[in-house]
């Protein structure tokens, strides 16, 4: 038997329960993992609260990422006792996820634990940190170097934003954090932001082109905020876009692209190929300071998740939330 957070649907409403399940109920997979830690992401919050159409088949165990030890494996790449990480691939959406003491997945979904990490650190990073690293890599590939100027990070108090700030700072960039929570300003500066601006500055409707302010940006908000960034990015600048917390629309024009050669870089971590995924994990290990793991996360039990899921969808969660299984 193992403990799991289970989502069901009743009268078109999502119902959350914490249950003891038999191992025979696990979905088919090559590898069974004893989950040490999962984490709470914005997408998990949408799934658990039912605010987003994340899950279509019930019952479902949410949790889009986890880390733990292999219990059994029918794939030669993994042996009992191996430490592994799972992020993406639709896990926690259409395949049972990490908010359970055990999980079963195809071997191709897993990444071996990089040297220098353990399960707890891996989930402090989690999907959010992996996405942040992929965004940083996208900016670097687009030629955005520290000498070009400031990098703006939106959703700065969230998981992607907070990790992105630290990664950029470690690489020598000048980082500006955009946050709607002024009480987090000191914390944002402590993890690497050079200065903090009010998110409200980015919510006014964008003109086709505005004053050039940023060499580049990492955006997890979308909608009006992303449109504003595109109008403010320097000539030949770039924006790495990875989220839609503010909406999936984009009220912009072609002007930034054809008059300033601005690049809009879409970043996805769900279906990211294993080779690039592994490269990103290794770079994260190299870049994140040891202090990050104590400064940027709080640890909770599975019982606390339903309440926190509501909070994260309302923008009330700071940094990373670690779930100890």
């Amino acid at each position: 038997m193992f403990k799991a957070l289970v989502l069901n649907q009743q009268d078109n409403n999502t119902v959350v329960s914490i249950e003891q399940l038999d191992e025979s109920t696990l979905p088919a997979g090559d590898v069974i993992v004893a989950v040490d830690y999962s984490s709470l992401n914005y997408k998990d919050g949408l799934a658990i609260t039912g605010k987003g159409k994340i899950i279509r088949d019930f019952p479902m165990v949410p949790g889009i990422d986890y880390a733990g030890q292999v219990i059994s494996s029918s794939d030669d790449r993994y042996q009992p006792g191996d430490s592994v990480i799972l992020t993406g691939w639709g896990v926690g959406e259409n395949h049972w996820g990490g908010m359970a003491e055990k999980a079963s997945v195809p071997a191709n979904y897993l990444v071996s634990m990089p040297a220098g990490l353990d399960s707890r650190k891996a989930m402090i990073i989690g999907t959010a940190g992996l996405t942040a690293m992929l965004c940083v890599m996208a900016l670097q590939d687009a030629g955005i170097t520290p000498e070009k100027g400031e990098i703006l990070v939106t959703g700065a108090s969230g998981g992607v934003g907070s990790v992105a700030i630290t990664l950029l700072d470690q690489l020598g960039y000048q980082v500006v954090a955009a946050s709607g929570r002024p009480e987090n300003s000191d914390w944002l500066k402590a993890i690497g932001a050079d200065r903090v601006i009010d998110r409200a500055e980015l919510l006014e409707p964008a003109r086709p082109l505005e004053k050039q302010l940023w060499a580049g940006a990492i955006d997890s908000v979308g909608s009006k905020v992303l449109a504003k960034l595109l109008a403010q990015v320097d000539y030949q600048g770039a924006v790495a876009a990875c989220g839609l917390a503010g909406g999936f629309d984009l009220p912009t024009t072609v002007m930034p692209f054809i008059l300033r050669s601005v690049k809009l870089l879409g970043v996805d971590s769900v279906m990211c190929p294993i080779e690039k995924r592994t490269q990103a994990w290794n770079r994260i290990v190299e870049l994140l300071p040891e202090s990050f793991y104590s400064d940027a996360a709080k640890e909770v039990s599975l019982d606390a998740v339903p309440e926190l899921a509501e909070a994260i969808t309302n923008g009330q969660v700071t940094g990373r939330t670690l779930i100890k299984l």
Side-chain angles (χ1 to χ4, degrees), residues 263-281:
K263 304 175 188 69
L264 177 57
L265 312 169
V267 175
D268 165 64
S269 66
V270 175
M271 305 302 292
C272 180
I274 287 292
E275 296 77 14
K276 190 169 187 178
R277 208 179 272 253
T278 302
Q279 179 189 3
W281 275 108

Side-chain angles (χ1 to χ4, degrees), residues 9-44:
Q9 196 165 55
Q10 184 176 350
D11 299 327
N12 292 320
N13 294 315
T14 300
V15 179
V16 185
S17 60
I18 295 176
E19 303 178 14
Q20 289 287 335
L21 302 177
D22 190 272
E23 190 173 297
S24 62
T25 62
L26 286 169
D30 305 314
V31 183
I32 296 177
V33 178
V35 179
D36 295 326
Y37 290 94
S38 183
S39 72
L40 181 67
N41 297 276
Y42 185 75
K43 186 182 286 186
D44 296 318

